[in-house]
Amino acid sequence: MACAFRRSIACQLSRVLDLPPENLIKSISAVPISRKEEVADFQLSVDSVLENNNDHSRPDIQVQAMRLAEKLKCDTVVSEISTGQGTVNFKINRELLTKTVLQQVINDGSKYGLKSELFSGLPQKKIVVEFSSPNVAKKFHVGHLRSTIIGNFIANLKEALGHQVTRINYLGDWGMQFGLLGTGFQLFGYEEKLQSNPLQHLFEVYVQVNKEATDDKNIAKSAHEFFQRLELGDTQALALWQKFRDLSIEEYVRIYKRLGVHFNEYSGESFYREKSQEVLKLLDSKGLLQKTVKGTAVVDLSGNGDPSSICTVMRSDGTSLYATRDLAAAIDRMDKYNFDTMIYVTDKGQKKHFQQVFQMLQIMGYDWAERCRHVPFGVVQGMKTRRGNVTFLEDVLNEIRSRMLQNMASIKTTRELENPQETAERVGLAALIIQDFKGLLLSDYQFSWDRVFQSRGDTGVFLQYTHARLHSLEETFGCGYLNDFNTGCLQEPQSVSILQHLLRFDEVLYRSSQDLQPRHIVSYLLTLSHLAAVAHKTLFIKDSPPEVAGARLHLFRAVRSVLANGMKLLGITPVCRM
């Protein structure tokens, strides 16, 4: 594995530089593969290990690199040492590289890359991830898709690294809209429709009551009264609200199952309507609460009346707001989970909101506020179905499945699939996730059905196709060859490129663990799939001598294993046939 090679190089460097090997490990990186020329396997950035990095009078960095290289010697691990632009480059003994990497991939299985020294010394942490958070009694809007898949990726990655992760779905389940919905259901609702298609029926009721309320002030008044009854704990009003909430969660769980997502806790704003009053008392006792002429209560985070730093925490009627409930939720979660990190995954429009929430926690005396982190993301534009503008996620999932089935229908092997619907859904979901994860999360992007379903190029369909094809190789030839293998049979440029790329997996995981961006893993897997496609055309198994065939099959099995590991981290279920 890469870390064994890094340590060997670091030990030799430590003797020359008089630095502990541990200080050098992260300065030694695997070299990205090049299509134009054969490259070294590892490189040391000389700049990163020199003292007085800001001293511009020191000798030219290139001279320093050459001097360092001259002091180093090849050994049983390193077969060649050279210099690049400010780097010292190391080429690993080819047979050792082949044997070590392939054995490590097979032995470590789903943990390959995660056992690296890059992660050593990292303490196991308690991590809370809040994501998805749809609004109760409304159909799952497509706008919640990004939060769902990004939060799922972050939780998957943290869990894979050995942290204790709690996945929280913080539902929008309180507010004036429930006054309207309660009144609307009493006027226009049907129990049988609610049971057969709850969210569709509640959506229809909500649209109708909103329309009626604009013309009839009595309906608006009834809605306000219904919500007041909710706030005061009226049994009948709460029973109806609870029914709406329970039926909504049932529907969401069904959709999450299709997405391959699960939660440890379904929380919601309703949990904190009483605790938010305690937050208001605490703010008041610390002299932070200010009343406005309108009767609302605000906190001035600037201390000098800057309007952009004023956060409203209470309505004029004394009820709490979103920010107050978020403060109460954060305090409650700290009491309950004693987290080391809490991550909120929402769109970038809420950036200021979370800055203010974290700042208020700080001034309230909660030092752990610095453990809270907002992961913002951009907006998806142009996501429409064939019927026009889309608002509901289920419509998108159904469209993906039907389009994928059409695409697969032209392939003769599709008829052999046990469950073509399930395969189509998994391939389609991979396509959706890869298109979403290719760029920076903060960037807006234009959704394109045509790009999503391309089987060639940098798409999720291509990843699934590669995985299925490699699985087919194992099924066809695996029985006779997967025992021992001869490392000397994998010295072709195509084999070496794959081995060098497999070396880098731990570094890619490390980068994603640092900035929580899935694009590093996506880019890595796409490159791995392209390398596998080239190798598949040239490194034949059929009609090759048994020794050669066995070695190549080991290589392809290692590629499939790492590809599957990476896909699962991203929230993609690999398919074995398509």
Side-chain angles (χ1 to χ4, degrees), residues 71 92 134 155 175 253 284 335 393 396 399 448 458 554:
K71 294 176 187 175
I92 303 297
V253 168
D284 198 24
D335 290 342
L393 178 59
V396 173
E399 179 105 2
S448 162
D458 293 344
H554 262 87

Side-chain angles (χ1 to χ4, degrees), residues 281-446:
K281 284 176 190 168
L282 184 58
L283 285 166
D284 198 24
S285 70
K286 288 182 177 284
L288 298 167
L289 214 57
Q290 299 175 15
K291 285 281 176 75
T292 68
V293 288
K294 292 178 183 174
T296 60
V298 300
V299 175
D300 177 10
L301 293 165
S302 67
N304 59 20
D306 177 3
S308 66
S309 296
I310 287 174
C311 183
T312 306
V313 290
M314 188 183 80
R315 291 191 183 90
S316 56
D317 63 1
T319 55
S320 63
L321 283 130
Y322 186 52
T324 335
R325 293 192 285 269
D326 261 350
L327 289 169
I331 295 162
D332 179 59
R333 289 172 193 171
M334 190 54 178
D335 290 342
K336 191 173 178 181
Y337 297 111
N338 191 27
F339 57 77
D340 297 293
T341 307
M342 179 156 62
I343 299 164
Y344 296 84
V345 184
T346 73
D347 68 87
K348 61 186 178 184
Q350 294 195 50
K351 187 179 176 183
K352 185 181 176 184
H353 164 77
F354 283 108
Q355 282 174 343
Q356 292 187 331
V357 167
F358 301 159
Q359 208 177 332
M360 275 192 281
L361 286 168
Q362 285 275 17
I363 62 174
M364 286 167 78
Y366 296 114
D367 294 339
W368 50 259
E370 63 191 22
R371 303 183 202 175
C372 300
R373 178 176 180 181
H374 178 219
V375 175
F377 55 81
V379 179
V380 186
Q381 293 152 336
M383 194 178 268
K384 302 173 183 178
T385 62
R386 289 185 174 114
R387 288 178 296 173
N389 284 327
V390 68
T391 49
F392 304 131
L393 178 59
E394 197 154 24
D395 293 339
V396 173
L397 295 180
N398 292 340
E399 179 105 2
I400 281 174
R401 188 171 58 194
S402 66
R403 288 196 188 210
M404 203 64 235
L405 276 169
Q406 285 176 1
N407 288 9
M408 287 161 55
S410 59
I411 304 168
K412 59 184 179 183
T413 53
T414 303
R415 288 194 295 273
E416 299 166 19
L417 295 175
E418 285 178 20
N419 192 338
Q421 294 259 354
E422 185 181 88
T423 301
E425 183 131 310
R426 285 178 177 174
V427 175
L429 198 53
L432 197 66
I433 288 171
I434 294 301
Q435 175 157 299
D436 195 286
F437 284 179
K438 272 163 71 174
L440 273 168
L441 294 181
L442 203 52
S443 304
D444 299 340
Y445 76 90
Q446 192 68 34

Side-chain angles (χ1 to χ4, degrees), residues 29-212:
S29 58
V31 180
I33 55 148
S34 166
R35 291 183 183 178
K36 296 176 184 174
E37 57 187 355
E38 188 183 342
V39 293
D41 303 308
F42 289 95
Q43 64 182 25
L44 170 81
S45 170
V46 176
D47 207 31
S48 66
V49 294
L50 291 176
E51 293 180 7
N52 305 319
N53 275 352
N54 297 323
D55 181 3
H56 298 292
S57 64
R58 61 190 167 83
D60 178 68
I61 197 80
Q62 196 61 35
V63 175
Q64 294 274 42
M66 291 173 77
R67 280 182 190 163
L68 179 55
E70 284 166 10
K71 294 176 187 175
L72 300 168
K73 293 190 176 100
C74 294
D75 54 22
T76 53
V77 175
V78 177
S79 63
E80 195 178 298
I81 298 169
S82 60
T83 58
Q85 201 63 43
T87 62
V88 178
N89 303 328
F90 303 88
K91 185 177 178 180
I92 303 297
N93 174 302
R94 283 291 167 255
E95 290 204 13
L96 183 65
L97 173 77
T98 307
K99 188 173 183 180
T100 307
V101 171
L102 294 188
Q103 278 186 347
Q104 200 81 50
V105 173
I106 275 74
N107 292 344
D108 287 354
S110 63
K111 291 290 180 187
Y112 178 73
L114 297 164
K115 292 183 174 181
S116 167
E117 284 201 350
L118 296 178
F119 298 110
S120 69
L122 285 180
Q124 285 198 354
K125 293 184 175 180
K126 293 175 185 169
I127 297 173
V128 170
V129 187
E130 183 202 291
F131 64 105
S132 194
S133 307
N135 294 313
V136 160
K138 291 184 180 177
K139 289 188 81 172
F140 200 125
H141 191 275
V142 76
H144 294 283
L145 174 65
R146 288 206 87 185
S147 174
T148 306
I149 59 176
I150 293 165
N152 188 50
F153 158 71
I154 292 170
N156 288 346
L157 183 60
K158 295 293 185 185
E159 271 177 0
L161 290 168
H163 300 299
Q164 185 183 325
V165 177
T166 303
R167 301 160 182 252
I168 294 181
N169 197 341
Y170 184 66
L171 302 169
D173 64 356
W174 202 250
M176 192 57 212
Q177 72 268 29
F178 287 98
L180 271 169
L181 197 58
T183 298
F185 190 76
Q186 288 169 340
L187 291 170
F188 314 116
Y190 294 93
E191 188 61 36
E192 53 278 22
K193 283 188 179 181
L194 183 66
Q195 295 301 329
S196 63
N197 194 348
L199 295 190
Q200 183 60 39
H201 184 51
L202 290 175
F203 175 68
E204 288 162 1
V205 166
Y206 192 68
V207 169
Q208 192 171 354
V209 75
N210 261 306
K211 191 179 168 187
E212 298 287 334

Side-chain angles (χ1 to χ4, degrees), residues 488-528:
C489 297
L490 290 174
Q491 301 310 311
E492 309 89 348
Q494 299 93 326
S495 300
V496 172
S497 289
I498 286 174
L499 291 162
Q500 287 178 314
H501 196 58
L502 291 174
L503 265 184
R504 294 185 59 238
F505 191 50
D506 62 344
E507 289 181 14
V508 171
L509 294 178
Y510 184 74
R511 282 187 73 185
S512 280
S513 74
Q514 293 298 295
D515 64 9
L516 302 183
Q517 296 283 334
R519 66 195 176 103
H520 311 304
I521 296 172
V522 169
S523 174
Y524 176 89
L525 296 180
L526 289 167
T527 300
L528 183 61

